[in-house]
Amino acid sequence: ILATAPISSVTQLLETRVPGLVVQHTSAAPGAPSRLRLLGAGSINGNNDPLIIVDGARVYNQQSAQRSANAATTLTGASKAAARGAYAAPSPLDQIDPNTIATIQVVKGPAASALYGPDAANGVIVITTKRGQQGPAHWNLSASQGVTYMPGSYPTDYYRWGHNDFSIGGNPYVCTLLASRCQADSLTTFQALNDAAYSPLGRGRANQESVGVDGGRAGLTYSIT
């Protein structure tokens, strides 16, 4: 899948490929975390996140719990406490490099609870990472780059007053309504979305690189990504 699809996270790897898996996106921003639901929401106030097992070790991934809220905020005091929910908590699952994964197994239903206990009632995602193989060093390198932008231009059916400012060398130039020493003298068309200085829509760039090496001999193998 990684060789043919633009996968950058484990969530993208699982989405649309696991029957019954529901991915709840927190926002459309690049890198924004997503919540996974394998068996729906069984509790209103409790944790509904599936269990994550990586190489036999359980990974803390609760995004529904109170203590899992994102602490990233520039506010202080009572405002800080009120704004904790403004930022979604990072996804521990997406901190795993997909290039390091050998296999993924999704278990749900009674089989999950039988294998991993009552905490697996919301399903289990079992991840096994790659292991080194005997032989000479084997290198893997991947790189991708992308850009996102809005093509074309927006209609210029909006207008603003043109202003002349004679305070700089006696030469008039267009300035804003709030600028000092500006005089309204003409009506011109203007579309802020077509102006890079005012438009909130910019170009989004993405770069991703991964390099790995594995190898070894009898009794000692290695795999580094």
Side-chain angles (χ1 to χ4, degrees), residues 71-110:
T73 176
T74 58
L75 303 178
T76 58
S79 298
K80 180 177 181 179
R84 290 190 66 191
Y87 303 94
S91 172
L93 186 65
D94 289 340
Q95 295 179 9
I96 303 173
D97 186 358
N99 294 282
T100 65
I101 297 177
T103 62
I104 298 181
Q105 182 182 11
V106 179
V107 186
K108 52 187 176 180

Side-chain angles (χ1 to χ4, degrees), residues 6-224:
I7 300 298
S8 60
S9 66
V10 179
T11 298
Q12 293 180 355
L13 186 63
L14 297 175
E15 189 174 11
T16 71
R17 295 180 175 89
V18 177
L21 175 66
V22 177
V23 179
Q24 300 176 347
H25 299 282
T26 56
S27 73
S34 302
R35 294 181 177 179
L36 304 182
R37 297 290 183 265
L38 283 171
L39 297 173
S43 174
I44 298 178
N45 298 322
N47 175 40
N48 295 302
D49 302 311
L51 203 63
I52 296 179
I53 305 293
V54 179
D55 292 335
R58 178 174 175 177
V59 177
Y60 179 82
N61 69 307
Q62 293 188 14
Q63 295 177 286
S64 304
Q66 179 68 24
R67 61 178 176 174
S68 300
N70 197 332
T73 176
T74 58
L75 303 178
T76 58
S79 298
K80 180 177 181 179
R84 290 190 66 191
Y87 303 94
S91 172
L93 186 65
D94 289 340
Q95 295 179 9
I96 303 173
D97 186 358
N99 294 282
T100 65
I101 297 177
T103 62
I104 298 181
Q105 182 182 11
V106 179
V107 186
K108 52 187 176 180
S113 299
L115 292 173
Y116 298 97
D119 289 344
N122 297 315
V124 185
I125 300 176
V126 183
I127 298 176
T128 303
T129 59
K130 295 179 180 178
R131 295 289 187 270
Q133 303 294 330
Q134 295 185 26
H138 177 258
W139 292 84
N140 292 287
L141 175 65
S142 64
S144 63
Q145 186 179 33
V147 60
T148 302
Y149 64 95
M150 299 294 291
S153 59
Y154 291 87
T156 56
D157 296 335
Y158 303 91
Y159 300 89
R160 70 169 180 180
W161 284 101
H163 298 277
N164 292 331
D165 188 346
F166 296 95
S167 62
I168 301 180
N171 298 320
Y173 71 98
V174 177
C175 58
T176 62
L177 286 171
L178 299 179
S180 61
R181 304 187 64 177
C182 288
Q183 301 174 359
D185 63 353
S186 62
L187 189 66
T188 60
T189 60
F190 176 71
Q191 172 55 269
L193 296 179
N194 294 334
D195 193 329
Y198 300 104
S199 175
L201 305 177
R203 288 179 176 266
R205 292 179 172 85
N207 297 280
Q208 182 176 350
E209 296 82 21
S210 177
V211 60
V213 58
D214 64 88
R217 57 185 180 182
L220 179 62
T221 59
Y222 60 89
S223 178
I224 303 174

